[in-house]
Amino acid sequence: MAEPTAKVVPGSSLRLLQFEVDGQRRVGVEVTRGGDIVDVTNVDSSIPKDMVAFLEAGETALASAATAVASGQGVLSRDSVHICAPLTRPEKVICVGMNYVDHCTEQNMPVPTEPVIFSKFASAIVDPNADVELPPETEQLDFEVELAIVIGRGGRRIAEADAMSHVAGFTVAHDVSARDWQLHKNGGQWLIGKTFDTFCPIGPSIVPPSALSDPHGLGIRCRLNGDTVQDSNTNQLVHKTEACIAFITKFITLKPGDLILTGTPPGVGCFRKPPLWLKKGDVVECEIDEIGCIRNVIV
């Protein structure tokens, strides 16, 4: 008997993003990394203009977007549009802590046997090149580059073997953190220190697994004012995409558009001696190979 072939979904290799032109936010497709954009919603008005709605529409929206791209119409110069966060209203922003082997080593902490889960609020999400506010309430603002998973198909109790079929793609996240509020205030609860407004820049696009050589073999780095302060590889992830999704969905139903930040590699400011805190005017760049780079000025 012939082996069954995997179903090929039209549009499953598209690099999706959100952009703004003439005051309107739309869903588009990045032709190449950092390249021009196809305004698929202008080519086909049936395609949702909001990314969460697009992901909820599933294979129908992907196929329509692929057809729009193939038409050769609706191509816009990247310089003529404003690149927005690739999604702006996920139901959930879930984070995984202590999830890089080398990050655990720098803290002299044991590698977790299960994912360490916390959260941010969606209100913290800002555009990939947006300014990040230094709130007057913190004196310990820190940087964290992270690989973020975007859920395309929801579910509960998802098996590891099926998990990647629920992934729309991956994007870059900057998990900005107020360490004093995360570690020393608010009764030891991490939430407040992680979710001030502007504390979750993401982007520039959502890159599907099929467009990556290996999501768990990508260089990941953070630069502060041009100097590299974090430099690792996603092969250092303790709990990779499949394990994170399987664990999280034991407790929580994931929905299309939900965002999972998978943790940061070593080099963050709070574990340096002396500590390295962000200050106004600093420029932070978070980059992951094959996905993209986001840039945030501290204001």
Side-chain angles (χ1 to χ4, degrees):
M1 180 182 293
E3 290 291 327
T5 57
K7 179 182 179 182
V8 177
V9 178
S12 59
S13 62
L14 299 178
R15 301 172 65 100
L16 301 170
L17 48 66
Q18 290 189 137
F19 68 96
E20 190 173 285
V21 64
D22 298 329
Q24 293 187 338
R25 180 171 292 175
R26 303 176 186 175
V27 169
V29 172
E30 189 179 46
V31 178
T32 58
R33 176 183 167 182
D36 291 341
I37 293 161
V38 180
D39 182 358
V40 294
T41 63
N42 189 41
V43 177
D44 182 348
S45 61
S46 72
I47 298 174
K49 294 184 178 181
D50 172 79
M51 187 63 73
V52 172
F54 180 96
L55 295 174
E56 288 172 341
E59 294 180 6
T60 299
L62 281 172
S64 296
T67 300
V69 171
S71 76
Q73 301 177 49
V75 179
L76 301 174
S77 166
R78 195 181 191 91
D79 294 338
S80 69
V81 305
H82 172 75
I83 304 299
C84 303
L87 52 89
T88 47
R89 56 177 190 88
E91 181 178 279
K92 294 179 283 295
V93 181
I94 300 169
C95 306
V96 185
M98 303 286 293
N99 201 31
Y100 275 75
V101 174
D102 43 9
H103 184 45
C104 296
T105 301
E106 77 169 343
Q107 301 176 63
N108 197 29
M109 295 287 288
V111 175
T113 57
E114 292 181 329
V116 176
I117 303 299
F118 61 100
S119 66
K120 296 169 91 81
F121 291 139
S123 55
I125 293 174
V126 291
D127 296 345
N129 296 315
D131 293 341
V132 168
E133 297 176 6
L134 173 54
E137 291 79 13
T138 183
E139 297 178 350
Q140 298 182 356
L141 193 67
D142 207 350
F143 49 84
E144 292 190 10
V145 60
E146 305 207 9
L147 175 72
I149 304 163
V150 179
I151 296 299
R153 185 163 61 92
R156 177 85 193 279
R157 301 193 182 280
I158 299 169
E160 283 195 32
D162 300 328
M164 201 61 81
S165 69
H166 291 258
V167 174
F170 299 87
T171 194
V172 181
H174 183 188
D175 182 13
V176 186
S177 305
R179 299 299 188 190
D180 37 9
W181 283 94
Q182 178 193 355
L183 302 174
H184 307 299
K185 299 183 179 184
N186 196 40
Q189 297 293 316
W190 288 9
L191 178 64
I192 292 297
K194 288 285 189 175
T195 201
F196 282 71
D197 287 354
T198 75
F199 274 23
C200 192
I202 59 172
S205 58
I206 299 169
V207 183
S210 62
L212 297 171
S213 57
D214 179 0
H216 305 126
L218 303 176
I220 179 171
R221 65 196 62 85
C222 177
R223 291 182 292 272
L224 174 59
N225 300 324
D227 295 328
T228 300
V229 287
Q230 293 183 275
D231 191 5
S232 187
N233 192 289
T234 57
N235 62 19
Q236 290 290 303
L237 282 165
V238 179
H239 305 288
K240 294 179 171 57
T241 300
E242 298 90 340
C244 287
I245 290 174
F247 182 80
I248 289 166
T249 58
K250 289 179 181 179
F251 315 99
I252 301 166
T253 298
L254 289 176
K255 302 286 186 67
D258 283 349
L259 192 65
I260 304 172
L261 278 62
T262 60
T264 197
V268 295
C270 65
F271 296 120
R272 292 173 176 264
K273 295 181 181 179
L276 177 60
W277 306 124
L278 295 173
K279 61 185 184 302
K280 289 185 178 181
D282 281 346
V283 178
V284 181
E285 295 172 290
C286 296
E287 182 178 40
I288 302 177
D289 292 348
E290 302 180 34
I291 298 178
C293 182
I294 63 178
R295 180 182 185 273
N296 310 114
V297 177
I298 310 302
V299 300

